[in-house]
């Protein structure tokens, strides 16, 4: 009997110790516990995330209405007739770069054209470097270096631009490319080191027809475009 009481007492003590250990590990209910998450519960869907998840909500994109789409393409449609290849190209470019306006681009391209033509004539490498891609700059720089080595001097007068039209636009990966046909009027003459005329005409105005392609990285915060290719139609 004494042995039975001792065993019973031993197991009773062991049970109390185990209970206390479990309680310290698992904790006690305080009434403030978060209820288990139920993905099908209306409460979970209507109340949204807990306070600790504020700022982590991913908003789904809102579908654009027909009126909003028409408004966004308004500058495109005013520039290129709807249904044409160019209009489609410009709309696709506008989808990738929503701040794009074709009229503003052409105005900027015309200013860049004059700056580049005159900088090349003057041998102004600093201006060219800011407006040209690395590959195009290297070609312009080589021509200027050759001219300087021979002692040649170019004298140019920019008369103006008769016409500037976008003829092609596309988006390649994150880069938008636009090709512009530019018809300009220029007086240009090149003289050797003795001052003799070797190219051009110092008196007459020449018509110059160029195809220039400009590019810009859509991901960049820099709004400026750079000349990446040139081709003469003369």
């Amino acid at each position: 009997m004494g042995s039975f009481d001792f065993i019973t007492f031993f197991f009773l003590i062991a049970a109390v110790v185990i209970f206390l250990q479990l309680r310290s590990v698992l904790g006690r209910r305080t009434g403030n516990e978060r209820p288990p998450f139920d993905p099908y519960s209306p409460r979970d869907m209507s109340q949204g995330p807990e306070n600790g998840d504020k700022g982590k909500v991913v908003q789904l994109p809102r579908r654009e209405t027909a009126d909003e789409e028409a408004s966004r393409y308004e500058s495109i449609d005013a520039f290129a007739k709807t249904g044409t290849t160019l209009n489609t190209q410009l709309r696709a470019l506008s989808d990738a770069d929503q701040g794009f306006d074709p009229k503003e681009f052409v105005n900027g391209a015309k200013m860049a054209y004059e700056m580049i033509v005159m900088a090349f004539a003057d041998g102004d490498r600093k201006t060219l470097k800011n407006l040209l891609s690395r590959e195009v700059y290297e070609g312009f720089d080589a021509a200027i270096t050759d001219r300087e080595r021979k002692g040649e001097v170019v004298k140019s007068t920019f008369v103006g631009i008769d016409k500037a039209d976008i003829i092609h636009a596309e988006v390649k990966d994150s880069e938008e490319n636009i090709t512009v046909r530019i018809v300009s009027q220029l007086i240009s003459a090149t003289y050797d080191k003795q001052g003799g005329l070797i190219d051009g005409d110092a008196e007459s105005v020449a018509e110059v027809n160029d195809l220039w392609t400009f590019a810009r990285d859509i991901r960049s915060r820099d709004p400026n475009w750079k000349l990446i290719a040139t081709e003469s139609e003369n």
Side-chain angles (χ1 to χ4, degrees):
M1 186 68 174
S3 175
F4 175 78
D5 290 340
F6 174 78
I7 294 173
T8 302
F9 179 74
F10 174 79
F11 281 111
L12 178 62
I13 294 298
V16 171
V17 172
I18 293 172
F19 171 76
L20 291 175
Q21 288 180 340
L22 288 174
R23 189 181 188 193
S24 65
V25 173
L26 300 178
R28 293 174 293 176
R29 297 184 62 84
T30 63
N32 296 320
E33 292 79 13
R34 180 181 299 179
F37 173 71
D38 181 359
Y40 303 103
S41 169
R43 179 193 62 79
D44 291 316
M45 290 185 288
S46 62
Q47 292 184 1
E50 296 291 336
N51 293 337
D53 293 331
K54 286 183 178 178
K56 299 181 182 178
V57 179
V58 178
Q59 297 289 345
L60 294 177
R62 183 174 61 87
R63 185 182 296 275
E64 191 174 46
T65 66
D67 289 341
E68 289 172 333
E69 182 180 275
S71 176
R72 182 160 61 85
Y73 292 140
E74 186 175 354
S75 64
I76 304 295
D77 296 343
F79 186 87
K81 186 177 180 180
T82 56
T84 61
T85 300
L86 180 60
N87 182 275
T88 301
Q89 293 172 349
L90 291 175
R91 282 186 173 219
L93 192 145
S94 178
D95 290 338
D97 179 5
Q98 295 186 9
F100 174 76
D101 184 293
K103 187 175 181 180
E104 290 182 3
F105 171 82
V106 170
N107 289 335
K110 289 162 68 174
M111 289 189 290
Y113 181 87
E114 180 178 354
M115 291 175 65
I116 292 170
V117 168
M118 295 309 299
F120 176 70
D122 297 338
D124 183 356
R125 290 180 173 86
K126 183 178 180 180
T127 296
L128 292 174
K129 206 163 195 175
N130 292 328
L131 297 171
L132 310 180
S133 68
R134 180 177 56 83
E135 293 80 4
V136 174
Y137 174 78
E138 288 175 353
F140 277 49
D141 177 59
I144 293 173
T145 299
D146 183 63
R147 197 169 67 203
E148 292 171 340
R149 182 178 56 81
K150 295 176 180 178
E152 297 174 354
V153 176
V154 176
K155 295 183 179 180
S156 295
T157 300
F158 192 86
V159 178
I161 294 177
D162 290 339
K163 186 182 294 186
D165 297 315
I166 296 176
I167 62 171
H168 183 76
E170 65 178 342
V171 177
K172 294 181 178 179
D173 297 326
S174 64
E175 185 179 82
E176 46 190 337
N177 294 348
I178 299 180
T179 300
V180 186
R181 177 181 285 114
I182 300 175
V183 180
S184 64
Q185 302 290 332
L186 185 69
I187 299 174
S188 182
T190 303
Y191 301 88
D192 60 22
K193 63 173 59 179
Q194 286 77 33
L197 181 68
I198 57 176
D199 188 37
D201 191 325
E203 302 295 332
S204 63
V205 178
E207 181 179 277
V208 181
N209 295 269
D210 286 316
L211 293 178
W212 282 20
T213 301
F214 295 88
R216 191 182 82 85
D217 189 339
I218 299 173
R219 300 168 301 182
S220 173
R221 294 185 179 181
D222 184 357
N224 296 320
W225 296 69
K226 289 196 174 185
L227 180 65
I228 63 169
T230 63
E231 181 181 347
S232 176
E233 285 194 325
N234 283 19

